[in-house]
């Protein structure tokens, strides 16, 4: 099966492409390389360009008329940057995705799997969210994800386009064969920072927020191995029509998480167990925009995709550490 992967040079898109390849499918990558590294496209079918470029999309489908579905990962993803540059984020993530979806519908390539985010959920008592939990995206970035869910739903009602939005929780780790992983120079995610402390790139780890109403006061998340995440996309494209038939709908939303809430302090403890040493750390107040967090009710993913996360948090940490050691050889920078 041939699958168009937008953002295929990125952290998650490249892992999905590797998972497709390992399972006998053919990814066709479309990426502008605005943030993703060219190294992740090596050896794969790759078109460098913008998702809103209609002529390029037409060329891709002329050269690969047998593309079965599109996994739309391309986006800008840095929350603080989205607060500073909302126009950029709404243009890149909303306007361009709208053009992409419209063009896909017009060109007759109607199956779309969309990378959405758990950051659109509101805080709920107990922190566990089903897909029906209330939404309250609290940054321009999160609002772009929320908007594109609405757009996909509306287009699926009015056009032949069909959509599955996958709400990712907190991806960690790297490709098991270490072909790709986190590529940003200064990771803003908690595990990326822990790895940087372990590698001596940061002096200490700062636990931001220790007064949340969680079991130990630190924020709670649902850390999902990026390989598990990638495998869920395989299931989504392989069973696309079947999934929507089961829901009797033209559009559906599925949480991708482990179903286990892990606090930041628990993550740090797990990291120290895997790494075998204590790391320098201190506690600090939450940063602006921080939230207590959420974890997934992952029942719908099991029911609709027959998928559940297989990897433990320790495996995700070990994978992130291994990639931290390897990434200079792949990317050319540490
Ligand atoms: N990483 C996370 O923690 C996380 C969590 C939830 C959801 N997501 C979603 O997953 C998707 C992938 O995230 P990621 O972590 O792999 O990010 P990433 O930055 O590594 O990958 C995004 C890719 O999209 C490309 N891109 C951006 N705008 C483009 C455009 N207009 N045209 C063509 N290519 C473009 C970039 O060059 C990059 O390779 C995003 O949609 C993101 O919102 C990520």
């Amino acid at each position: 099966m041939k699958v168009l992967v937008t953002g295929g040079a990125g952290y998650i898109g490249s892992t999905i492409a590797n998972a497709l390849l390992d399972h006998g499918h053919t990814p066709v990558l479309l990426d502008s390389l605005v943030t993703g590294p060219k190294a992740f496209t090596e050896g794969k079918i790759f078109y460098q360009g913008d998702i809103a470029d209609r002529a390029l999309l037409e060329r891709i489908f002329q050269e690969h008329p047998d593309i079965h579905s599109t996994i739309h990962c391309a986006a800008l993803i840095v929350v603080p940057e989205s607060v500073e540059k909302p126009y950029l984020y709404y243009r890149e993530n909303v306007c361009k995705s709208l053009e992409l979806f419209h063009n896909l519908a017009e060109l007759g390539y109607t199956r779309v799997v969309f990378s959405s985010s758990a950051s659109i959920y509101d805080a709920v008592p107990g922190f566990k969210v089903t897909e029906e939990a209330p939404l309250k995206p609290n940054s321009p970035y999160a609002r772009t994800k929320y908007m594109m869910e609405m757009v996909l739903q509306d287009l699926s009602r009015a056009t032949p386009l069909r959509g599955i939005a996958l709400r990712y929780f907190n991806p960690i780790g790297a490709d098991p064969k270490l072909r790709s992983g986190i590529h940003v120079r200064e990771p803003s995610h908690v595990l990326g920072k822990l790895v940087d402390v372990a590698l001596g790139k940061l002096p200490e780890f700062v636990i931001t927020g220790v007064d949340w109403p969680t079991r130990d006061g630190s924020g709670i998340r649902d850390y999902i191995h990026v390989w598990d995440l990638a495998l869920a996309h395989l299931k989504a494209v392989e069973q696309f029509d079947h999934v929507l038939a089961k829901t009797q709908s033209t559009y559906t939303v599925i949480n991708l998480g482990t179903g286990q809430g892990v606090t930041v302090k628990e993550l740090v403890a797990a990291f120290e167990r895997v790494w075998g040493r204590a790391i320098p750390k201190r506690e600090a107040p939450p940063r602006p925009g921080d939230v207590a967090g959420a974890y997934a009710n992952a029942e719908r993913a099991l029911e609709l995709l027959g998928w559940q996360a297989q990897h433990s948090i320790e495996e995700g940490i070990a994978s992130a550490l291994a990639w931290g050691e390897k990434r200079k050889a792949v990317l050319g920078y540490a």
Side-chain angles (χ1 to χ4, degrees):
M1 182 184 280
K2 247 182 212 173
V3 181
L4 179 63
V5 183
T6 76
Y11 169 49
I12 294 169
S14 65
T15 314
I16 293 170
N18 289 329
L20 285 164
L21 279 170
D22 288 0
H23 289 80
H25 301 304
T26 306
V28 176
L29 312 186
L30 168 59
D31 198 299
S32 64
L33 302 183
V34 60
T35 55
K38 189 159 195 308
F40 289 173
T41 69
E42 298 300 339
K44 302 189 181 102
I45 301 169
F46 170 50
Y47 292 84
Q48 183 172 353
D50 199 281
I51 52 166
D53 183 341
R54 164 86 178 218
L56 177 59
L57 210 57
E58 285 177 8
R59 182 155 77 84
I60 293 172
F61 290 127
Q62 266 156 22
E63 292 174 9
H64 304 281
D66 49 341
I67 285 176
H68 167 271
S69 43
T70 300
I71 299 177
H72 177 36
C73 297
L76 301 179
I77 68 155
V78 182
V79 172
E81 185 184 52
S82 79
V83 175
E84 285 161 25
K85 300 177 181 169
Y87 169 72
L88 179 70
Y89 272 69
Y90 288 116
R91 186 188 70 197
E92 294 300 313
N93 292 2
V94 176
C95 299
K96 289 186 174 178
S97 294
L98 178 65
E99 285 309 306
L100 173 72
F101 290 171
H102 174 70
N103 289 332
L104 288 173
E106 281 205 345
L107 295 170
Y109 290 86
T110 54
R111 298 183 187 96
V112 175
V113 173
F114 174 59
S115 299
S116 190
S117 167
S119 65
I120 70 176
Y121 283 115
D122 197 1
V124 299
F127 306 108
K128 187 170 185 171
V129 287
T130 67
E131 290 81 354
E132 276 71 43
L135 303 179
K136 191 182 175 193
N138 77 344
S139 70
Y141 163 74
R143 283 190 275 278
T144 69
K145 293 282 135 186
Y146 170 75
M147 285 180 187
M148 289 323 299
E149 283 199 6
M150 301 296 97
V151 166
L152 191 52
Q153 181 169 29
D154 286 343
L155 288 177
S156 81
R157 287 179 178 146
T159 76
L161 206 72
R162 298 291 175 262
I164 300 178
L166 300 177
R167 289 185 186 150
Y168 309 165
F169 281 70
N170 301 85
I172 60 169
D175 167 58
K177 296 181 187 164
L178 299 182
R179 290 164 288 190
S180 65
I182 294 273
H183 57 81
V184 290
R185 284 169 196 266
E186 289 176 15
S188 56
H189 297 107
V190 40
L191 184 58
K193 285 187 185 290
L194 285 167
V195 171
D196 277 359
V197 175
L199 296 177
K201 290 202 258 173
L202 285 176
E204 62 180 2
F205 180 75
V206 185
I207 302 172
T208 47
V210 287
D211 290 318
W212 299 112
T214 59
R215 51 186 168 259
D216 61 19
S218 64
I220 195 159
R221 302 285 183 272
D222 186 334
Y223 298 101
I224 173 165
H225 198 299
V226 70
W227 191 246
D228 279 329
L229 197 75
L231 295 180
H233 289 73
L234 252 70
K235 299 262 191 191
V237 290
E238 285 170 350
Q239 307 170 43
F240 191 98
D241 298 342
H242 186 56
V243 167
L244 287 184
K246 273 201 227 170
T247 65
Q248 297 185 315
S249 174
T250 53
Y251 168 83
T252 197
V253 177
I254 303 174
N255 282 342
L256 293 185
T258 65
Q260 304 293 322
V262 174
T263 69
V264 175
K265 285 185 181 174
E266 288 165 352
L267 180 75
V268 173
F271 186 88
E272 290 177 332
R273 277 198 305 277
V274 174
W275 193 45
R277 287 162 61 188
I279 60 151
K281 51 190 172 292
R282 76 180 158 85
E283 298 180 355
R287 298 158 303 181
D290 276 351
V291 290
Y295 67 100
N297 175 316
E299 284 169 20
R300 191 184 284 177
L302 184 58
E303 183 193 323
L304 289 183
L305 301 176
W307 170 92
Q308 56 188 348
Q310 300 293 332
H311 290 87
S312 67
I313 193 157
E314 285 80 7
E315 288 172 308
I317 292 167
S319 166
L321 276 164
W323 171 250
E325 301 280 355
K326 168 86 191 285
R327 69 180 223 150
K328 189 163 186 218
V330 178
L331 295 171
Y333 53 87

